[in-house]
Amino acid sequence: MHQHDRKIRTIGLADVSEPGDEALITPEVSAALATATDIVGYAPYVTRVQPRDGLTLHPSDNRVELQRAGEALRLAAEGRHVVVVSSGDPGVFAMASAVFEALEDAPQWQDLSIRVLPGVTAMLAAAASAGAPLGHDFCAINLSDNLKPWPLIEKRLRLAAEADFAIAMYNPRSASRPDGFARTLEILKEAGCGERIVIFARAVSTPDQRIETVELRDARPDMADMRTLVIVGNSATRRVGRWVYAPRQVR
Amino acid sequence: MHQHDRKIRTIGLADVSEPGDEALITPEVSAALATATDIVGYAPYVTRVQPRDGLTLHPSDNRVELQRAGEALRLAAEGRHVVVVSSGDPGVFAMASAVFEALEDAPQWQDLSIRVLPGVTAMLAAAASAGAPLGHDFCAINLSDNLKPWPLIEKRLRLAAEADFAIAMYNPRSASRPDGFARTLEILKEAGCGERIVIFARAVSTPDQRIETVELRDARPDMADMRTLVIVGNSATRRVGRWVYAPRQVR
């Protein structure tokens, strides 16, 4: 009993980019936000939640995910109704893993009620805006080497090309990582993917949305930035009109 | 002008299994359903849409995706507001690719307004129910060999294991394909994945939901059925309490 007095919820504001499209936020997430007492997250996401009486906002900086997760657990243990907000699905390169990591370090909090509320992750919104490039087998790779060694990223890119997966690339390029995406394009060219179709989906679902599709050999590193999700098609991916899609059938 | 008189929308009823959880259907999808004149799709999904005056339901059998897509295009070309319904995200192993394939065969319809409305695909809901197993790089493989040769599935499984991806498996097992999933488990054991954690997420978000997690060497083929989404963790995936998650950091 009283388990609902002690809960933390990890949720997704189902946005692809800032500012996102509220029409992609699930009713489950909206209900969680409406009954929360505390919102914890990266400042630009927290400020998307409408202020109201009884709701405390806890914005934090980028790259402090573990501390933020610990703060959320501590608040929940005090009996608060906490929602940790992410952009897109909280389970994909977002806050859910950080919350469980913090939980592992704090066994006294393992009886808290935790719910991960799924959302529309960036690659799905990006794919929908371009057609159906994820209609056949695919993989998702985070191109940031902040939390893993770069050679592992290169290995995965080569194996993904060999497996003929479509490849969704999160965090392709940032000011602090200007060169990784250029190297990514080189590796895929070396792996024989020069004729594959690449989708650059920038700021999907916002007024700034821009979708560019080119063959990989014509792709330039500067086509991607922090707000871009990149999808490399598989070898059968094709165009019809302005759309790009992966055929269901492969022989 | 008048482009909105001629539209087809491919949408997702964001359900993982039947009957699904309406709390996962995005407002964008609800709005599309509310203004549709025609709903096209596999019968069990079509019957989830509330009947009303002015709305015609077009249920169809399984395995007639291309004919169904053609019917949707034809109706849209007649000026109807058509919504093609899938379960989960329409772009992931669902109807969006079939619609574009039908469009390729019907150039006279390529000026139709098409919108793919993203949704919560099954692996995201399954992952959320179990923790955060997709918090690091991962791939999604459809284990059905109805539309691709089985050896290609085996090749992808081996490469995915070598890449140390978490692996989300759609359509693991059906009455007409009783043996493929047993073979899948064998391949992953041969590839050295015996100690990896496997999640069997059945009927997620329904009253029948059941989540089982075992080490791969202890997984049995009969743990999966038509309503199960299987996620194989990566080599670092671990448990905390009743949860399973992929750590963000890999060294």
Side-chain angles (χ1 to χ4, degrees):
Chain A
M1 64 180 73
H2 295 308
Q3 75 168 33
H4 288 289
D5 292 335
R6 305 217 309 168
K7 73 177 67 170
I8 169 177
R9 289 171 167 157
T10 301
I11 70 111
L13 285 172
D15 299 330
V16 173
S17 299
E18 310 133 42
D21 185 342
E22 295 208 342
L24 295 183
I25 298 176
T26 68
E28 182 176 68
V29 167
S30 296
L33 293 174
T35 55
T37 60
D38 297 80
I39 306 289
V40 172
Y42 179 44
Y45 307 148
V46 169
T47 55
R48 289 183 217 166
V49 180
Q50 192 71 29
R52 58 177 160 76
D53 283 350
L55 181 67
T56 307
L57 303 181
H58 304 265
S60 46
D61 286 341
N62 208 350
R63 295 215 189 180
V64 293
E65 289 79 8
L66 205 55
Q67 297 95 302
R68 181 191 299 150
E71 180 190 16
L73 291 170
R74 185 182 54 73
L75 287 165
E78 290 170 2
R80 313 286 295 175
H81 299 277
V82 183
V83 175
V84 180
V85 292
S86 294
S87 178
D89 185 282
V92 176
F93 311 133
M95 279 300 295
S97 280
V99 168
F100 292 115
E101 197 177 325
L103 191 66
E104 200 166 345
D105 293 336
Q108 73 276 19
W109 291 333
Q110 287 182 13
D111 63 338
L112 290 171
S113 172
I114 300 180
R115 288 174 62 209
V116 181
L117 307 183
V120 176
T121 184
M123 70 177 163
L124 300 183
S129 71
L134 303 180
H136 194 79
D137 300 339
F138 62 92
C139 65
I141 301 180
N142 185 343
L143 290 187
S144 167
D145 60 351
N146 289 339
L147 293 170
K148 64 189 167 195
W150 177 259
L152 180 60
I153 296 174
E154 291 203 1
K155 178 184 174 184
R156 287 182 175 153
L157 289 167
R158 289 197 182 90
L159 290 167
E162 188 180 346
D164 201 11
F165 283 129
I167 308 171
M169 298 172 176
Y170 285 69
N171 302 313
R173 195 159 170 265
S174 72
S176 62
R177 296 180 291 104
D179 302 324
F181 185 59
R183 183 75 193 118
T184 295
L185 294 174
E186 284 306 317
I187 288 165
L188 293 175
K189 271 181 234 174
E190 288 163 19
C193 300
E195 294 179 23
R196 290 205 196 182
I197 297 174
V198 185
I199 299 159
F200 291 89
R202 185 171 187 279
V204 170
S205 83
T206 80
D208 300 334
Q209 176 172 318
R210 191 181 68 218
I211 310 296
E212 283 185 285
T213 61
V214 297
E215 289 194 8
L216 190 129
R217 61 183 157 206
D218 298 325
R220 296 188 320 273
D222 65 1
M223 289 176 168
D225 68 6
M226 282 285 287
R227 297 181 73 188
T228 310
L229 193 294
V230 180
I231 299 177
V232 178
N234 68 21
S235 63
T237 297
R238 39 197 297 124
R239 295 177 190 271
V240 52
R242 76 173 187 86
W243 303 99
V244 173
Y245 80 102
R248 297 168 309 139
Q249 184 142 16
V250 172
R251 286 172 215 284
Chain B
M1 67 180 72
H2 294 309
Q3 76 168 32
H4 288 288
D5 293 333
R6 307 216 308 167
K7 74 176 68 169
I8 169 178
R9 289 173 167 157
T10 300
I11 69 113
L13 284 171
D15 298 331
V16 172
S17 299
E18 310 132 39
D21 186 341
E22 296 207 344
L24 295 182
I25 299 176
T26 68
E28 183 177 67
V29 167
S30 296
L33 292 174
T35 55
T37 60
D38 297 79
I39 306 289
V40 172
Y42 179 43
Y45 306 148
V46 169
T47 55
R48 287 184 218 167
V49 180
Q50 191 72 29
R52 57 177 160 76
D53 284 351
L55 180 68
T56 307
L57 303 181
H58 304 265
S60 46
D61 287 340
N62 209 349
R63 296 215 189 180
V64 293
E65 288 81 8
L66 205 55
Q67 297 95 302
R68 182 190 299 149
E71 179 190 16
L73 291 170
R74 184 182 55 73
L75 286 164
E78 290 171 2
R80 313 285 296 174
H81 299 277
V82 182
V83 175
V84 180
V85 290
S86 296
S87 178
D89 186 281
V92 176
F93 312 133
M95 280 299 296
S97 280
V99 167
F100 291 115
E101 196 178 326
L103 192 67
E104 198 165 347
D105 294 335
Q108 74 276 19
W109 290 334
Q110 288 183 11
D111 63 337
L112 290 170
S113 171
I114 300 180
R115 288 175 62 208
V116 182
L117 307 184
V120 177
T121 184
M123 70 178 163
L124 299 183
S129 70
L134 304 180
H136 194 77
D137 300 339
F138 62 92
C139 66
I141 301 180
N142 184 344
L143 290 188
S144 167
D145 59 351
N146 289 338
L147 294 169
K148 64 188 166 195
W150 178 257
L152 180 60
I153 297 174
E154 291 204 0
K155 178 183 174 185
R156 286 181 177 155
L157 289 167
R158 288 197 184 90
L159 291 166
E162 188 180 347
D164 202 11
F165 284 130
I167 308 172
M169 298 173 174
Y170 285 70
N171 302 313
R173 195 157 169 266
S174 73
S176 62
R177 295 179 292 104
D179 301 325
F181 185 60
R183 183 76 192 116
T184 295
L185 293 175
E186 285 306 316
I187 288 164
L188 292 176
K189 271 182 236 176
E190 289 163 19
C193 300
E195 294 179 25
R196 290 206 197 181
I197 297 173
V198 185
I199 298 159
F200 291 89
R202 185 171 186 277
V204 171
S205 84
T206 80
D208 300 333
Q209 176 172 319
R210 191 181 66 219
I211 310 296
E212 284 185 285
T213 60
V214 297
E215 287 195 9
L216 190 130
R217 60 183 158 206
D218 298 323
R220 298 188 319 271
D222 65 2
M223 287 176 169
D225 68 6
M226 282 283 288
R227 299 180 72 188
T228 310
L229 193 295
V230 180
I231 298 177
V232 178
N234 68 21
S235 63
T237 298
R238 40 195 296 124
R239 296 176 190 272
V240 53
R242 74 173 190 84
W243 302 100
V244 173
Y245 80 102
R248 298 167 307 139
Q249 183 142 14
V250 172
R251 285 172 214 285

